[in-house]
Amino acid sequence: MLEPMLPENPFQDPLRFEPRTPECAIVIFGASGDLAKRKLMPALYRLAYDRRLSAGFAVIGVSRTPLSDEQYREKMLAAVREFSEDTKIDDEVWGAFARGLFYVAGDAGDPALYGRLGQKLAEVEQARSTGGNVLFYLSLQPSQYAPAALGLGAAGLGKGNGWRRLVVEKPFGHDLASARELSAQIHQVFGESDVYRIDHYLGKETVQNILAVRFGNGIFEPLWNRRYVNHVQITGAESIGVEGRGAYYQEAGALADMIQNHLLQVMATIAMEPAASFRAASVRDERSKLLRSMRPMTAEEIRTNAVPGQYGPARVGGQDLPGFRQEPGVDPRSRTDTYAAATFFVENWRWAGVPFYLRTGKRLPKRVTEIAIQFNAAPLAIFDGEGGDRPPNLLILRIQPEEGISLKFLSKRPGAGIELRPVSMDFNYGSSFGERSPSAYETLLLDAIAGDATLYTRQDMVEASWAVVEPIQNAWREAAPDFPNYAAGTWGPAAADEMLARRGHAWRRP
Ligand code: BG6
């Protein structure tokens, strides 16, 4: 559905010029997979709908199912109809877009595929004037990333008369050594500056806005350090379970699925130093420096500063929810974490001693991603009748599903005497801008086509995150955790509350 007409809005600029992307072909490996159908195709269609794609644009879908170009177009139309949440299917726009969709069947591990792909690319380049520019997008099983990159290299497709770039989905490796090895294999074909490791959280409007708020304003930065910040909480809660992804998830677990990438990237965005400019190299250098300032925990620290959880069955809202071990594809004795919480410290001058509490989990009471920055209390209680329990000053950056920022502080309640009450100053994206936020994949695809890697992760960042996460992962694999340790529909294991309580803190209930 097209977004409704909104009242006139002072922030909206109807004449804003949105440039079109350079011409190119996008080759999507895993073209009939879930990600391609749910996210990539709707994002590309939306870019077409917004007239952001140049006339010299084509998509070549690659996957094992044999399909003709026409059948692929029909499948993609069905996917866009099903998964385009807020974009009208306009016959004319779809028709023009669909003429640029092509298909090649084959297995990423089969060298013969790349000969056929090369042939198709040459035809498409001629027919669609894509200028020889190609963005290869690996939306495959992780075990297929290296074979695909090497297959492209062996067929000579890693180079050409235009640019060649490689987008790699997460997970990038399953530990530090495998991440390094994967980079080394990819680098046989693509230089690091042509490798775009995707972390879709960095493409979210509200995550990008963290940098705008921090570095576009003068009021926040002076407070953004150990002198004024008491601690930071980053929550990535999901109410869904593993949704048919039991087999993948059982191997990954919450720590690797969400903290190693998304939440650590969010943390790096919150805590990094100001970049010299908003150019890819500067911003990525600062994110990387921040991640490298996080010291991996010792075994003793892991015991007190990291908490794994796994949900058990429960009856929630009149519905019986299975435990993780009862989910399809999951080992009934699985020791996989579906919840992970950890206390991290950043060893630099700005943050030394400030706890960053990160938590994520499946089957929590609601879907919410937010960052809560808790400031130190006022040094004295000068108002009569004030108890010791003053609610803290909080700056809450809400990433999703609500998008906005709130500042919580105390105010005088009207009336005689002075009685303090917590109040909130709220900014809400929807009502302030009245504009649709592009999806993370729209932003990231546009950036990759334009050659802007600012919102993509780099080899050193991925390695730094694995260096922090791997010891925890190993410790949890060695221990025999007492799972399940939280009921579906609750806020996770009691041990996660105790972790904060030891420092006199408590998780916010978002
Ligand atoms: C993915 C994880 O990367 O991110 C999923 O593999 C998770 O398990 C998802 O559900 C969350 O993304 P979002 O954008 O819905 O918060």
Side-chain angles (χ1 to χ4, degrees):
M1 211 186 57
L2 193 58
E3 51 274 10
M5 284 291 287
L6 289 151
E8 203 170 302
N9 182 314
F11 292 104
Q12 224 168 354
D13 175 3
L15 298 178
R16 193 162 78 176
F17 174 65
E18 303 280 13
R20 288 182 182 236
T21 55
E23 60 274 11
C24 76
I26 302 189
V27 176
I28 302 178
F29 287 90
S32 38
D34 227 36
L35 183 77
K37 286 195 294 200
R38 282 173 186 272
K39 303 285 184 189
L40 302 181
M41 232 355 109
L44 288 169
Y45 171 69
R46 178 68 199 205
L47 294 176
Y49 183 87
D50 287 343
R51 313 286 193 276
R52 301 297 305 273
L53 301 177
S54 79
F57 174 81
V59 173
I60 302 178
V62 179
S63 69
R64 280 178 298 203
T65 326
L67 293 175
S68 66
D69 290 342
E70 206 36 61
Q71 286 170 318
Y72 177 58
R73 289 169 188 163
E74 278 162 23
K75 250 176 121 76
M76 292 303 107
L77 176 57
V80 170
R81 278 196 207 286
E82 186 174 356
F83 298 112
S84 276
E85 281 158 17
D86 58 359
T87 309
K88 182 178 150 210
I89 311 296
D90 176 295
D91 289 345
E92 207 177 305
V93 176
W94 175 262
F97 177 70
R99 280 193 290 282
L101 302 186
F102 304 90
Y103 188 79
V104 176
D107 187 315
D110 174 9
L113 163 68
Y114 300 92
R116 295 198 298 280
L117 179 60
Q119 178 82 36
K120 191 78 159 188
L121 270 170
E123 287 165 25
V124 165
E125 185 182 334
Q126 277 287 317
R128 304 279 304 174
S129 307
T130 55
N133 300 322
V134 189
L135 185 73
F136 297 104
Y137 196 116
L138 304 187
S139 168
L140 292 164
Q141 292 297 328
S143 60
Q144 299 279 294
Y145 295 161
L150 296 171
L152 289 169
L157 299 177
K159 292 200 172 49
N161 46 353
W163 49 255
R164 302 285 152 121
R165 297 184 188 127
L166 185 75
V167 180
V168 189
E169 264 296 332
K170 70 170 268 267
F172 198 90
H174 51 86
D175 57 15
L176 182 55
S178 58
R180 281 194 176 138
E181 193 187 327
L182 180 56
S183 285
Q185 287 169 314
I186 289 175
H187 288 162
Q188 291 178 32
V189 182
F190 296 91
E192 177 62 22
S193 61
D194 294 322
V195 181
Y196 289 65
R197 293 177 190 75
I198 213 162
D199 186 311
H200 78 277
Y201 268 55
L202 290 180
K204 289 183 191 276
E205 277 293 311
T206 36
V207 174
Q208 293 177 64
N209 191 42
I210 296 171
L211 294 184
V213 166
R214 286 191 59 196
F215 304 131
N217 296 293
I219 54 168
F220 298 112
E221 258 332 88
L223 302 178
W224 218 262
N225 58 55
R226 64 192 304 278
R227 243 172 307 161
Y228 303 102
V229 173
N230 180 274
H231 71 270
V232 178
Q233 297 187 12
I234 302 181
T235 300
E238 295 186 277
S239 52
I240 55 170
V242 288
E243 309 293 297
R245 294 161 76 226
Y248 151 77
Y249 197 83
Q250 172 161 265
E251 293 303 311
L255 183 69
D257 186 52
M258 289 288 291
I259 293 193
Q260 186 274 336
N261 35 68
H262 306 323
L263 296 196
L264 282 179
Q265 289 297 334
V266 170
M267 176 174 161
T269 310
I270 283 288
M272 68 185 235
E273 293 300 308
S277 71
F278 197 65
R279 300 252 178 284
S282 304
V283 174
R284 299 202 305 171
D285 284 349
E286 295 307 334
R287 281 211 177 93
S288 174
K289 253 167 60 186
L290 190 284
L291 292 168
R292 283 181 285 124
S293 311
M294 296 173 67
R295 186 176 49 78
M297 292 184 208
T298 62
E300 181 51 35
E301 285 165 337
I302 291 169
R303 271 193 288 281
T304 49
N305 288 348
V307 177
Q310 188 193 82
Y311 62 86
R315 192 167 174 79
V316 180
Q319 207 194 338
D320 283 320
L321 298 177
F324 178 65
R325 290 174 174 178
Q326 287 82 51
E327 298 275 10
V330 173
D331 178 347
R333 286 158 307 151
S334 169
R335 288 163 51 177
T336 299
D337 48 303
T338 62
Y339 175 98
T343 307
F344 290 115
F345 290 94
V346 177
E347 301 208 327
N348 67 14
W349 279 50
R350 185 191 282 263
W351 294 118
V354 177
F356 283 78
Y357 300 118
L358 271 56
R359 65 173 160 169
T360 186
K362 300 279 186 200
R363 284 271 187 249
L364 300 185
K366 62 199 264 202
R367 174 173 185 245
V368 55
T369 305
E370 65 160 43
I371 301 128
I373 300 173
Q374 180 164 327
F375 293 92
N376 289 331
L380 283 177
I382 61 167
F383 300 106
D384 291 342
E386 260 197 276
D389 272 350
R390 228 189 232 176
N393 293 144
L394 286 173
L395 182 69
I396 296 154
L397 297 111
R398 292 191 307 272
I399 306 296
Q400 61 188 23
E402 283 168 50
E403 303 182 319
I405 298 178
S406 300
L407 181 65
K408 310 260 183 207
F409 55 98
L410 294 176
S411 179
K412 178 186 174 302
R413 184 183 174 181
I418 292 204
E419 190 185 330
L420 299 185
R421 279 294 157 90
V423 292
S424 181
M425 219 152 74
D426 296 309
F427 151 69
N428 175 289
Y429 255 89
S431 52
S432 293
F433 290 103
E435 277 183 67
R436 168 186 181 272
S437 291
S439 75
Y441 279 94
E442 285 164 48
T443 304
L444 293 169
L445 281 163
L446 267 187
D447 283 359
I449 298 169
D452 181 348
T454 311
L455 301 178
Y456 284 84
T457 61
R458 212 169 48 187
Q459 181 182 1
D460 51 344
M461 295 152 87
V462 171
E463 289 180 11
S465 324
W466 275 124
V468 169
V469 161
E470 188 179 317
I472 304 175
Q473 189 169 269
N474 290 344
W476 288 357
R477 284 191 180 150
E478 276 160 30
D482 193 12
F483 283 165
N485 61 354
Y486 70 100
T490 65
W491 278 107
D497 295 334
E498 288 151 22
M499 178 175 87
L500 267 68
R502 279 198 291 278
R503 292 195 165 82
H505 301 146
W507 291 111
R508 221 179 88 73
R509 289 282 176 257

